[in-house]
Amino acid sequence: DAKTTQPNSMESNEEEPVHLPCNHSTISGTDYIHWYRQLPSQGPEYVIHGLTSNVNNRMASLAIAEDRKSSTLILHRATLRDAAVYYCIPGVNAGNMLTFGGGTRLMVKP
Amino acid sequence: DVKVTQSSRYLVKRTGEKVFLECVQDMDHENMFWYRQDPGLGLRLIYFSYDVKMKEKGDIPEGYSVSREKKERFSLILESASTNQTSMYLCASSFLVGSNQPQHFGDGTRLSIL
């Protein structure tokens, strides 16, 4: 399994962009990079995933480095509701299993 | 929207009891998963199932069993509950075809074993 490194915590101001980094230097060439988040008292929630090129959806953007050893989740305008733990997960195991690491706790200040 | 429903948000049981945690999904997903989440340890996979009556062990299956009699329902069973099984339990589901299908999670059951 690819190992990931994420900051333990980050802080942002409301309505400002947030860039959440993830290093996954041992990722294999066919592994997708997945991002999930977990709001307080809820189960994890899928955010976005990608392979090589940058990806956008209604929740966020995913920027993937050319060598694929790192990626950045971008929240374009943070809201208080975006305060959560964000997990970067490179690749899935057989059977579509996810392996969650420690994640980054994002705090959003009004 | 996909809905994964876990039968209880909070549950308190006694040591030695047989405990059933139920999970139902409404999106006709083939895959279903049971995780537990503990502070400092993150989410760990207990069991998963990719079809009715099929099951596969995850990383920490000891002390647990599962049942999948219908496609939409996946049950986690603690045969004889112990205090070290006090935890948050999370159920998830996904499509099988295409290994990068997103998993959809329920809101969890916080189980306390006294």
Side-chain angles (χ1 to χ4, degrees), chain B residues 38-56:
Chain B
D38 301 287
L41 296 176
L43 275 83
R44 294 178 291 167
L45 182 66
I46 304 171
Y47 268 98
F48 74 99
S49 168
Y50 55 87
D51 201 355
V52 174
K53 297 193 185 296
M54 304 303 291
K55 62 183 180 183
E56 295 287 341

Side-chain angles (χ1 to χ4, degrees), chain A residues 9-93:
Chain A
S9 64
M10 290 183 64
E11 206 169 83
S12 170
N13 294 318
E14 196 175 11
E15 298 194 4
E16 288 186 358
V18 181
H19 291 234
L20 296 161
C22 180
N23 287 325
H24 31 75
S25 57
T26 60
I27 193 170
S28 78
T30 57
D31 283 342
Y32 278 72
I33 299 145
H34 303 251
W35 284 81
Y36 283 74
R37 71 179 185 180
Q38 188 170 17
L39 279 64
S41 302
Q42 293 187 22
E45 173 186 31
Y46 166 79
V47 178
I48 201 166
H49 75 281
L51 183 62
T52 55
S53 54
N54 296 343
V55 184
N56 301 294
N57 67 19
R58 63 178 178 83
M59 289 180 70
S61 296
L62 177 60
I64 301 171
E66 200 169 325
D67 63 6
R68 293 192 3 100
K69 293 185 177 182
S70 65
S71 61
T72 302
L73 181 72
I74 302 164
L75 307 178
H76 295 286
R77 288 182 69 213
T79 69
L80 297 178
R81 202 190 167 279
D82 290 321
V85 179
Y86 286 79
Y87 297 97
C88 163
I89 305 172
V92 295
N93 298 321

Side-chain angles (χ1 to χ4, degrees), chain B residues 41-80:
Chain B
L41 296 176
L43 275 83
R44 294 178 291 167
L45 182 66
I46 304 171
Y47 268 98
F48 74 99
S49 168
Y50 55 87
D51 201 355
V52 174
K53 297 193 185 296
M54 304 303 291
K55 62 183 180 183
E56 295 287 341
K57 293 180 180 178
D59 298 321
I60 51 164
E62 296 78 20
Y64 303 94
S65 63
V66 290
S67 172
R68 186 128 182 241
E69 296 296 318
K70 293 185 178 182
K71 190 175 185 179
E72 68 270 19
R73 186 180 296 271
F74 192 35
S75 303
L76 180 69
I77 303 154
L78 285 65
E79 297 289 345
S80 177

Side-chain angles (χ1 to χ4, degrees), chain B residues 14-65:
Chain B
R14 295 205 174 274
T15 303
E17 279 192 71
K18 191 169 186 176
V19 181
F20 294 85
L21 302 183
E22 307 287 346
C23 175
V24 177
Q25 49 93 5
D26 66 358
M27 277 300 292
D28 204 33
H29 284 161
E30 295 87 0
N31 283 349
M32 295 190 75
F33 307 83
W34 275 106
Y35 297 86
R36 64 177 281 178
Q37 185 172 27
D38 301 287
L41 296 176
L43 275 83
R44 294 178 291 167
L45 182 66
I46 304 171
Y47 268 98
F48 74 99
S49 168
Y50 55 87
D51 201 355
V52 174
K53 297 193 185 296
M54 304 303 291
K55 62 183 180 183
E56 295 287 341
K57 293 180 180 178
D59 298 321
I60 51 164
E62 296 78 20
Y64 303 94
S65 63

Side-chain angles (χ1 to χ4, degrees), chain B residues 68-105:
Chain B
R68 186 128 182 241
E69 296 296 318
K70 293 185 178 182
K71 190 175 185 179
E72 68 270 19
R73 186 180 296 271
F74 192 35
S75 303
L76 180 69
I77 303 154
L78 285 65
E79 297 289 345
S80 177
S82 65
T83 54
N84 63 12
Q85 292 177 309
T86 291
S87 186
M88 169 71 85
Y89 290 87
L90 290 156
C91 175
S93 70
S94 75
F95 287 115
L96 174 63
V97 176
S99 63
N100 292 285
Q101 294 289 337
Q103 288 190 21
H104 299 268
F105 285 80

